[in-house]
Amino acid sequence: MDSDADPDPAEVEYLVTPVLDLSNYCDVFLHFQSETVVDDQATQAVVYSLDGGATVAGVAFKYNDTTGTTGPNALFDGGEEPFYAERVLSVAAVAGQPSVVFGFLYQSPGDRWWWALDNIKVTATECEVVGETCDNPVTVAVPSSTNGTTAGASPDNIGACGANNSPAVWFKVVGTGRDITAQLCGSPFDARMSVFDGACAALVCVGENDDSCGAGSRVHWTSVLGSEYLIRVFGSGDGDSGGFTLT
């Protein structure tokens, strides 16, 4: 991407990847080789989209902000000599997403510098799905924070408590005799949650929620000391899946 032609108008350029289906993948890494001159009037950033490139969901890496003084990954002063680097970025937000696009953004007022890129690739590990069935849930404590994914899990429409045909995983928590709040706030996909009492063959709905905190969900209930509660995490719509953090 070149901004040092003469004359050269103001520009917003993207070099983008094809749409990537990362539904069944965790620990996603973006690799690329880069040579550039960082400029205090230009933006050179790696961004990502979760909807096939229609919108930008976040920034994975940024050389500097528009002032060249602060911002994520502010590395160099503007106008230094060209430098080369091989970079590997861990991008957790795209794991489990079905329509991922990475974009390399060069934005400038015109007649600035350039950014050369080569050998761009994405690597990832397949997700290990745990807690895929009601009778084999993942046990969590109060309080705790547990990462998980529904990517690669199977639908298990139980027909109650907001259930649908999206992939689901299960957790178990033991009642403390006090109020418990289970939440998926900050989830990168539209996550829904149901809480049950009783055995898998005779589940009783304690509560369910969708989108009480952004795209995440939150359920609050008064627990009975020693009682076991099952938490079902699944997508808001049929087929929705992705990574999440249950707290």
Side-chain angles (χ1 to χ4, degrees):
M1 293 180 281
D2 193 357
S3 183
D4 62 357
D6 186 15
D8 188 44
E11 62 195 312
V12 179
E13 293 186 57
Y14 285 94
L15 175 66
V16 299
T17 67
V19 178
L20 305 171
D21 185 355
L22 301 177
S23 299
N24 297 327
Y25 294 91
C26 299
D27 302 320
V28 179
F29 299 92
L30 175 66
H31 309 245
F32 61 95
Q33 296 173 336
S34 167
E35 187 170 11
T36 189
V37 176
V38 175
D39 185 86
D40 56 9
Q41 295 187 46
T43 297
Q44 294 137 301
V46 180
V47 300
Y48 57 87
S49 169
L50 304 179
D51 55 10
T55 60
V56 173
V59 178
F61 181 87
K62 193 174 184 181
Y63 279 109
N64 58 11
D65 66 5
T66 54
T67 67
T69 57
T70 61
N73 301 307
L75 296 180
F76 300 94
D77 295 327
E80 290 186 345
E81 292 297 314
F83 65 91
Y84 171 83
E86 296 185 18
R87 303 199 181 278
V88 180
L89 309 180
S90 175
V91 193
V94 304
Q97 299 298 315
S99 301
V100 175
V101 172
F102 288 103
F104 295 84
L105 166 64
Y106 193 100
Q107 181 175 359
S108 87
D111 196 19
R112 304 308 302 171
W113 294 96
W114 46 267
W115 190 10
L117 295 151
D118 199 5
N119 292 329
I120 299 167
K121 67 178 181 179
V122 175
T123 60
T125 57
E126 287 195 62
C127 298
E128 179 183 358
V129 180
V130 295
E132 193 173 356
T133 60
C134 176
D135 57 4
N136 188 30
V138 176
T139 299
V140 294
V142 178
S144 64
S145 179
T146 304
N147 294 326
T149 183
T150 61
S154 301
D156 62 352
N157 192 344
I158 58 175
C161 216
N164 57 25
N165 283 316
S166 65
V169 291
W170 294 80
F171 298 85
K172 179 177 71 176
V173 62
V174 178
T176 61
R178 299 183 178 183
D179 288 359
I180 295 177
T181 300
Q183 59 187 10
L184 303 168
C185 301
S187 170
F189 88 108
D190 196 353
R192 193 168 183 171
M193 177 168 48
S194 303
V195 177
F196 299 91
D197 193 5
C200 292
L203 292 171
V204 177
C205 182
V206 173
E208 66 92 14
N209 181 255
D210 184 24
D211 295 344
S212 67
C213 50
S217 302
R218 181 189 292 119
V219 176
H220 181 84
W221 75 99
T222 300
S223 70
V224 176
L225 181 64
S227 290
E228 293 184 348
Y229 298 90
L230 292 164
I231 301 170
R232 182 179 185 265
V233 177
F234 55 108
S236 180
D238 288 354
D240 289 348
S241 65
F244 60 85
T245 300
L246 173 65
T247 59

